Amino acid sequence: MATSIRIAASILAADFSRLGAEIEAVEQAGADLIHVDVMDGHFVPNITIGAPVVKALRPHAKKPFDVHLMISPVDPFLEDFADAGADGITVHPEAGPHIHRTLQVVRSLRKKPGVVLNPGTPVDRIDPVLDLVDLVLIMTVNPGFGGQTFIASQLKKIEATANRIAKTGREIALEVDGGINPQTAKQVIAAGANVLVAGTAVFKGGAKNYAANIAALRG
Ligand code: DX5
Ligand code: ZN
């Protein structure tokens, strides 16, 4: 069970003056994916990085780049992030007028499409697009910032999502994002999650701690 859990290190909590080195360190320490949070100060109340930075960072990693787009409108930027080296591109249904079309475009760019639900977004939003995605991401905080407190009410949504995924018979990753630490990791894994995004819990204490921090999340 524990071996099937993948850890996506969110570089939002890394030292932004040394992002390339941080990515190398966290990969060396056992991260399975590099989670990149793209924020525009409009869809969410914070601004991070854009496609040029993703492109500059991509050669520093061997592991897949899991790009979480918190920008609106999202459609005009899909190709930029694909070209920058994203492997997965995850989008919020609220970030554009046609989530189905957006996911089709991601697939046509030969990237793994993901759909992400905010804490206030009902689980049935995934039903019309489940056949299009390789990943469902359930937010366990409101998007915009690292270091927030896990919202336990989302555990039921994780379970409901796991049930929906099981019914498809397809391999769809179930990822969670926000407030993940060794304690909440246990809860989300029990609810059916198999990819855990973690920023604060991975990067705390500096590079000497990364391997132990990641191991602690696998349970
Ligand atoms: C929040 C981001 C998260 C964030 C998680 O909007 O989507 O990926 O980095 O940070 P922690 O793990 O600190 O809650
Ligand atoms: Zn994220």
Side-chain angles (χ1 to χ4, degrees), residues 35 37 68 70 177:
H35 184 84
D37 289 301
H68 176 192
M70 288 161 274
D177 185 2

Side-chain angles (χ1 to χ4, degrees), residues 94-209:
E94 298 89 349
H98 304 288
I99 183 64
H100 193 281
R101 174 180 287 144
T102 302
L103 294 165
Q104 284 178 319
V105 171
V106 174
R107 179 72 75 194
S108 75
L109 292 166
R110 293 190 299 281
K111 305 299 177 184
K112 289 178 184 292
V115 63
V116 43
L117 300 184
N118 283 329
T121 304
V123 69
D124 60 13
R125 289 295 296 270
I126 65 174
D127 292 342
V129 296
L130 210 46
D131 61 325
L132 293 178
V133 299
D134 291 333
L135 176 143
V136 178
L137 169 55
I138 302 298
M139 292 305 300
T140 40
V141 298
N142 283 298
F145 302 96
Q148 301 183 82
T149 303
F150 179 80
I151 301 174
S153 64
Q154 299 308 300
L155 287 167
K156 277 201 176 69
K157 197 193 285 180
I158 297 166
E159 279 174 22
T161 304
N163 289 334
R164 282 164 154 82
I165 289 173
K167 280 190 192 129
T168 69
R170 290 181 52 234
E171 277 219 8
I172 301 173
L174 177 42
E175 185 176 56
V176 293
D177 185 2
I180 300 300
N181 57 40
Q183 290 70 46
T184 56
K186 282 192 180 61
Q187 297 175 270
V188 296
I189 291 167
N194 46 39
V195 184
L196 312 187
V197 177
T200 307
V202 166
F203 286 94
K204 69 168 190 238
K208 66 181 188 311
N209 292 334

